[in-house]
């Protein structure tokens, strides 16, 4: 019998449901149940499951109680075993060899901005899923709808990242930000704070219908900034999902990708199924321009960290060589590259 606590089982079920893009309420039922008993020792959980007190705890329903009960009885819960079997296959067809070469992910979010889980949980999950490193890139202050981080909050987060890393031997949580590209191409964070980060992903989140010439200038200015390492989800498009569809922004992609190649900025292949950004024709254009690439999840929850499967499949289909994908590099080489411009 594996060493599995009730909290572990509930959290892992939530992971597999997130990975499969289940409805949010289903995921939250298991996350809330795990949080409701997290303060109890395994012995207390077992005792309260036996005498029925656990059923009276807010957040514990019939389904989650059944999971807890099977766990304290010393067996893997049936529901967890079923989800593990369903999740044993890759999320996408193709790209499995490339996926195996990916060592890290440069774009993820926590509940410090618009993610759903604590920093620690995102880090632990990234390690469990085989990462050597994961970059935490919560949003910058102008994106108020996403609770973007002021310079002060970002400085506090750096202390948390350092503390989290004390709990790992063979994994590193790297500091970063998804910084908003302002209308004039400036970056939405102080130079002082950007200097302190391991990786800076720069993305457009506003005025996506800006005139093509103005958008081109805006993106090229951001790419030329010495702090920018990655150009995130460059077209801003949405092709499916709960937020509906959104057309891609118009800009001179050849000029933008030429700037990325000149300034050693990686073009992100965003692995979120609703984004699939850049489109295939723009990946080909960036490849011809000599760009580097970063296959990233843009994960906002632990289960989404497996979305790398989708990005690897798209990169492989486009013929992107592994040596031009910075997320195949070991952490020492990655950091040498990311810090070189500053």
């Amino acid at each position: 019998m594996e060493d599995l606590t009730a909290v572990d089982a509930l959290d892992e079920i939530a992971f597999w449901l997130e990975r499969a893009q289940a409805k949010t309420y289903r995921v939250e039922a298991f996350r809330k149940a795990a949080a409701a008993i997290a303060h109890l020792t395994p012995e207390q959980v077992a005792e309260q499951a036996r005498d029925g007190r656990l059923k009276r705890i807010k957040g514990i329903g019939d389904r989650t109680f059944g999971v807890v009960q099977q766990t304290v009885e010393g067996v893997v819960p049936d529901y967890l075993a079923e989800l593990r079997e369903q999740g044993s296959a890759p999320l996408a067809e193709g790209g499995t060899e490339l996926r195996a070469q990916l060592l890290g992910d440069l774009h993820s979010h926590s509940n410090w901005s618009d993610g759903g889980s604590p920093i620690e949980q995102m880090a632990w999950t990234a390690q469990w899923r085989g990462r050597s490193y994961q970059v935490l890139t919560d949003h910058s202050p102008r994106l108020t709808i996403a609770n973007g981080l002021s310079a002060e909050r970002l400085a506090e987060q750096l202390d948390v990242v350092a503390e989290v890393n004390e709990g790992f031997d063979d994994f590193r949580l790297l500091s970063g930000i998804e910084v908003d590209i302002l209308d004039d191409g400036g970056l939405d964070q102080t130079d002082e704070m950007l200097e302190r980060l391991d990786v800076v992903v720069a993305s457009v989140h506003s005025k996506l219908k800006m005139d093509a010439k103005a958008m081109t200038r805006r993106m090229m200015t951001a790419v030329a900034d010495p702090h920018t390492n990655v150009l995130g989800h460059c077209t801003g498009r949405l092709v499916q999902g709960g937020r509906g569809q959104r057309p891609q922004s118009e800009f001179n992609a050849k000029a933008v990708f030429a700037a990325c190649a000149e300034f050693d900025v990686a073009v992100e292949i965003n692995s979120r199924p609703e984004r699939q950004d850049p489109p295939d024709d723009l990946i080909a254009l960036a490849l011809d321009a000599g760009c580097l690439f970063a296959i990233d999840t843009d994960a906002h929850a632990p289960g989404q960290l497996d979305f790398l499967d989708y990005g690897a499949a798209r990169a492989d289909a486009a013929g992107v060589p592994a040596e031009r994908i910075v997320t195949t590099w070991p952490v020492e080489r990655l950091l040498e590259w990311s810090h070189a411009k500053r």
Side-chain angles (χ1 to χ4, degrees):
M1 168 63 185
E2 63 185 275
D3 185 17
L4 185 71
T5 69
V7 172
D8 291 339
L10 292 165
D11 274 335
E12 188 180 339
I13 288 171
F15 168 86
W16 293 114
L17 291 173
E18 284 171 341
R19 182 182 187 270
Q21 301 178 66
K23 295 291 186 182
T24 302
Y25 75 88
R26 293 181 60 199
V27 177
E28 287 183 347
F30 290 92
R31 290 254 183 257
K32 288 177 180 177
I37 63 172
H39 66 288
L40 300 174
T41 66
E43 293 75 21
Q44 289 172 326
V45 171
E47 180 183 348
Q48 293 189 28
R50 285 192 293 269
D51 65 21
R53 278 182 291 161
L54 206 68
K55 287 185 176 181
R56 298 194 291 273
I57 294 179
K58 185 178 180 180
I60 302 295
D62 290 342
R63 189 77 182 265
T64 53
F65 177 76
V67 168
V68 173
Q69 194 168 39
Q70 285 192 292
T71 306
V72 300
E73 289 171 355
V75 299
V76 175
D78 294 339
Y79 191 37
L80 177 54
E82 177 187 335
L83 291 173
R84 284 177 174 177
E85 184 176 356
Q86 293 172 2
S88 61
L91 286 170
E93 294 183 10
T96 53
E97 290 186 10
L98 177 58
R99 172 66 181 86
Q101 296 180 68
L102 296 178
L103 300 179
D105 176 5
L106 309 189
H107 188 170
S108 64
H109 299 272
S110 75
N111 61 1
W112 280 57
S113 65
D114 62 341
S117 294
I119 294 170
E120 298 87 346
Q121 190 168 24
M122 294 296 289
W124 294 331
T125 305
Q127 184 200 41
W128 172 49
R129 301 310 291 166
R131 306 279 201 282
S132 295
Y133 54 89
Q134 181 73 39
V135 185
L136 176 64
T137 55
D138 280 321
H139 288 286
S140 62
R142 191 174 80 158
L143 212 61
T144 54
I145 193 172
N147 195 27
L149 273 61
S150 64
E152 293 75 19
R153 290 183 66 218
L154 181 56
E156 292 176 15
Q157 187 179 83
L158 295 185
D159 292 336
V160 175
V161 169
E163 184 178 341
V164 168
N165 276 319
E166 291 177 0
F168 292 107
D169 295 323
D170 56 354
F171 169 85
R172 283 183 67 179
L173 180 65
L174 301 179
S175 62
I177 191 171
E178 185 182 15
V179 64
D180 208 25
I181 298 176
L182 303 174
D183 298 356
D184 63 357
L187 302 185
D188 181 37
Q189 189 49 269
T190 66
D191 286 348
E192 178 186 4
M193 287 308 305
L194 294 175
E195 287 282 346
R196 296 179 62 186
L197 302 176
D198 291 318
V199 175
V200 174
V201 178
S203 306
V204 173
H205 289 103
S206 62
K207 296 187 179 178
L208 296 175
K209 295 181 180 179
M210 179 180 282
D211 171 79
K213 288 184 178 180
M215 181 65 85
T216 302
R217 286 195 301 270
R218 179 184 183 183
M219 296 173 73
M220 290 179 68
T221 300
V223 166
D225 189 293
H227 299 102
T228 301
N229 301 123
V230 180
L231 178 62
H233 50 68
C234 63
T235 77
R237 74 173 187 171
L238 294 174
V239 297
Q240 63 184 44
R243 290 188 288 171
Q245 296 186 352
R246 181 170 65 207
Q248 62 193 62
S249 297
E250 295 183 6
F251 57 93
N252 185 334
K254 184 175 289 188
V256 169
F257 294 150
C260 287
E262 177 184 357
F263 293 103
D264 210 22
V265 169
V267 175
E268 179 180 75
I269 297 178
N270 190 289
S271 300
R272 294 193 69 88
E274 72 270 23
R275 286 192 180 276
Q276 299 177 39
D277 198 359
D280 293 343
D281 60 326
L282 292 194
I283 294 179
L285 198 63
L287 190 59
D288 290 343
C291 294
L292 294 171
F293 295 86
I295 299 176
D296 297 329
T297 61
D298 195 358
H300 285 65
Q304 296 173 4
L305 289 166
D306 266 19
F307 285 179
L308 281 184
D309 291 358
Y310 295 120
R314 294 194 67 229
D316 183 64
V320 180
E323 60 267 20
R324 282 171 60 180
I325 300 170
V326 300
T327 41
T328 67
W329 298 351
V331 67
E332 295 81 6
R333 182 182 176 189
L334 178 91
L335 291 175
E336 183 179 349
W337 163 77
S338 69
H339 292 164
K341 289 177 63 182
R342 301 174 195 172

